[in-house]
Amino acid sequence: MEIYDYRQELIDLLENTGSDPHSLHQTLRSLTAVVNILNHYNGHSAKPNYDHDEKPHHHRYQTHQRNEHPLSPAARRTLHSLLTGPSDQTEKPTPTKAAPVKIPTATKPEAPQEISATERLAADNRYLVHRKLSGAEINHHYYPETILHQLHFPVEDGDIVELDPHQLVRRLPSIRRVTSDHLDDYKPTRIKVIAYAELRPVPGSDVLQIANTMKGDSILDQAPANTIVVDPFKYPGRNLKAGMVIDFAYFDHGNGLKDASAGSIRWIHEKQDYDTTRQPVKPKVVKKVINTKHDYEKKLDYDLKQRTVLVITGVRDKVQGLKPVIAKHHGVFHGLDASAEEKVSSSKIKREIRDADFVIVCIDAIHHRISQLANHHAKRYEKPLAIANVTSNTVVERAVARALNGDPAYAVSSEKLN
């Protein structure tokens, strides 16, 4: 009797079985059918007797027995097809009286795990902010402090920010906004910032120190003995020198100056950002408005008291119509034409903002870079800034009111814009 050598096909079947439940079930079903076929023919066949002069071959061998019952061609084809790969057939051979071979039962698939709060946020491109002493980690990416300083809003530890995967900044998804959501089980790390502290030399040493701030609102300003040593060798590439003004951040664990001494430099300010020799602004003579074509009726009640309002817009034909808005509230109007983005440099925006008392940015017709620069320089000079979605009298008037009252830069969504 010639017995079909099915070992290689059996090996191929097991090697090609995937780890997914469907593939495992198909392989289990094929093996069950194979065992049933072998049990069936084993019941009709006698044990093989080898001749003394014959030896079995490596792959196939011949046997002789008294009652030969070879596999039929149909059975052999069925056995071969079952061993060469998983099969979708559902019919099983009829079991015989031969002893059955036990087949391990397949385990049931585990129930799906509950979706976490972080995964639900990620479905809407929202992620938790892990703020560092310098920069932040968002969605397993590190955002340097330079990117965070260019935003129109602060980003703190524990905030939920919305990312824009289609707009990249330094190969990172841009931060679109900070949402009002927070995770209930997340406890933000308390980080304090010593802002606008001047580096001073330590006599007889190569290190520097900070002892007070320009705002006078830090732990260093509480006592003359409170100082923090800054080692320039810990910040390679920064080229730290005496006279520089820095922001120094530290984790506040309730240990006062001990925690502050273990902090790190977050930001180095430019010299023009903290110019203390600035001369007082000379009062400007308000010219009487002669053109009545753009006459404007005052709708909100506030007094600018002759302070200067800088309006940055890219709609040139509406600039003249904005002057009566500021004049009705006893303010001095100053407009910056940003319609040609290539002609508006960072130094020009910086100079205009330095000489203004309030900054209004109309974002409907200007480049994104200009609005970022305006926000950046307004922060440095501590100038109130408000955003107008469109260049119109009503929207600009309300933006000036927000800047005057210290309200958020953007208008609330429920506010009607005429």
Side-chain angles (χ1 to χ4, degrees), residues 333-390:
F333 174 85
H334 188 72
L336 175 60
D337 181 13
S339 57
E341 187 265 342
E342 66 277 3
K343 295 182 180 180
V344 183
S345 62
S346 176
S347 58
K348 183 176 182 180
I349 297 178
K350 186 186 306 181
R351 183 171 56 253
E352 297 288 349
I353 292 178
R354 184 179 56 191
D355 296 333
D357 295 300
F358 303 96
V359 181
I360 307 300
V361 182
C362 302
I363 60 175
D364 55 335
I366 64 173
H367 196 274
H368 183 61
R369 181 187 71 88
I370 296 178
S371 63
Q372 286 185 330
L373 287 173
N375 179 74
H376 174 76
H377 295 310
K379 283 184 177 179
R380 296 300 168 266
Y381 288 101
E382 298 183 356
K383 304 292 184 178
L385 180 142
I387 302 297
N389 294 328
V390 294

Side-chain angles (χ1 to χ4, degrees), residues 127-151 153-161 163 169-170 172-175 178 186 189 191 238 249 251 265-267:
Y127 301 93
L128 180 67
V129 175
H130 299 277
R131 195 69 159 95
K132 308 297 181 182
L133 295 183
S134 179
E137 180 183 347
I138 305 174
N139 192 23
H140 307 291
H141 294 290
Y142 176 74
Y143 283 72
E145 194 67 29
T146 304
I147 294 180
L148 302 182
H149 261 70
Q150 294 175 352
L151 300 175
F153 41 80
V155 176
E156 304 298 340
D157 189 62
D159 288 345
I160 302 295
V161 297
L163 301 183
V169 178
R170 295 190 179 185
L172 295 171
S174 63
I175 302 175
V178 175
Y186 183 82
T189 304
I191 300 177
R238 296 287 189 95
F251 295 109
I265 293 178
R266 168 173 286 189
W267 188 255

Side-chain angles (χ1 to χ4, degrees), residues 202 205 207-210 227-232 234-235 248 261 263:
V202 177
S205 175
V207 299
L208 303 171
Q209 66 178 357
I210 52 178
T227 60
I228 295 177
V229 176
V230 179
D231 189 354
K234 291 177 58 177
Y235 306 94
F248 195 86
S261 300

Side-chain angles (χ1 to χ4, degrees), residues 259-415:
D259 292 337
S261 300
S264 177
I265 293 178
R266 168 173 286 189
W267 188 255
I268 301 177
H269 295 278
E270 298 179 5
K271 185 177 180 179
Q272 54 270 28
D273 294 338
Y274 54 87
D275 185 8
T276 58
T277 62
R278 174 188 170 193
Q279 298 295 328
V281 179
K282 297 180 179 179
K284 297 182 179 180
V285 179
V286 180
K287 297 181 179 179
K288 189 175 182 180
V289 179
I290 301 176
N291 187 3
T292 58
K293 180 179 179 180
H294 301 283
D295 192 17
Y296 177 75
E297 181 180 0
K298 183 177 62 174
K299 297 182 179 180
L300 299 180
D301 186 18
Y302 58 85
D303 189 1
L304 292 173
K305 299 179 180 179
Q306 300 302 316
R307 284 177 286 186
T308 303
V309 178
L310 173 64
V311 179
I312 303 176
T313 179
V315 185
R316 300 179 62 182
D317 57 347
K318 292 187 177 181
V319 174
Q320 295 298 326
L322 297 175
K323 288 184 177 181
V325 178
I326 309 302
K328 287 286 186 179
H329 294 282
H330 309 100
V332 179
F333 174 85
H334 188 72
L336 175 60
D337 181 13
S339 57
E341 187 265 342
E342 66 277 3
K343 295 182 180 180
V344 183
S345 62
S346 176
S347 58
K348 183 176 182 180
I349 297 178
K350 186 186 306 181
R351 183 171 56 253
E352 297 288 349
I353 292 178
R354 184 179 56 191
D355 296 333
D357 295 300
F358 303 96
V359 181
I360 307 300
V361 182
C362 302
I363 60 175
D364 55 335
I366 64 173
H367 196 274
H368 183 61
R369 181 187 71 88
I370 296 178
S371 63
Q372 286 185 330
L373 287 173
N375 179 74
H376 174 76
H377 295 310
K379 283 184 177 179
R380 296 300 168 266
Y381 288 101
E382 298 183 356
K383 304 292 184 178
L385 180 142
I387 302 297
N389 294 328
V390 294
T391 306
S392 69
N393 292 348
T394 303
V395 177
V396 170
E397 182 191 44
R398 292 177 177 175
V400 174
R402 293 197 304 274
L404 180 63
N405 298 327
D407 295 331
Y410 285 88
V412 294
S413 58
S414 61
E415 181 177 342

Side-chain angles (χ1 to χ4, degrees), residues 13-33 82 85-88 103-110:
L13 172 61
L14 296 177
E15 287 182 348
N16 294 326
T17 300
S19 59
D20 56 289
H22 178 73
S23 180
L24 292 173
H25 281 299
Q26 293 291 347
T27 301
L28 179 62
R29 193 157 50 191
S30 298
L31 289 176
T32 304
L82 289 172
S87 175
D88 292 333
I103 303 297
T105 58
T107 58
K108 296 182 179 180
E110 297 181 358

